[in-house]
């Protein structure tokens, strides 16, 4: 099994990290893990909110790394 997919949104202001996440997620199946690298403080709120709205699982935030699992 390979590691998670990565969205590099460092230096991008919200909502761009969430838009980039949504684009990548659209092409992948449930169970796929995606790590979003985002240093905008709003990403720590926006990414979990996006997960709740879309029915995906927000796994964690570790610094600028936000991990999501698609459902």
């Amino acid at each position: 099994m390979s590691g998670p997919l990565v969205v590099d949104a460092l230096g991008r202001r919200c909502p761009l990290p969430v838009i980039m996440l949504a684009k990548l997620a659209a092409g992948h199946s449930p169970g796929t893990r995606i790590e979003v690298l985002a240093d905008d403080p709003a990403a720590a709120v926006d990414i979990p909110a996006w997960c709740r709205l879309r029915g995906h699982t927000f796994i964690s935030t570790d610094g600028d790394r936000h991990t999501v699992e698609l459902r």
Side-chain angles (χ1 to χ4, degrees), residues 39-63:
D39 51 4
D40 182 348
V45 174
D46 291 351
I47 293 171
W50 178 84
C51 288
R52 284 190 302 276
L53 288 171
R54 300 292 182 214
H56 301 305
T57 302
F58 178 75
I59 304 294
S60 66
T61 291
D62 183 12

Side-chain angles (χ1 to χ4, degrees), residues 4-5 9 13 15 20 22 24 27 34 36 39-40 43 46 65 69:
L5 302 173
R13 305 294 292 172
M20 294 167 72
L24 182 61
I34 301 174
V36 182
D39 51 4
D40 182 348
D46 291 351
R65 184 177 305 268
E69 184 169 290

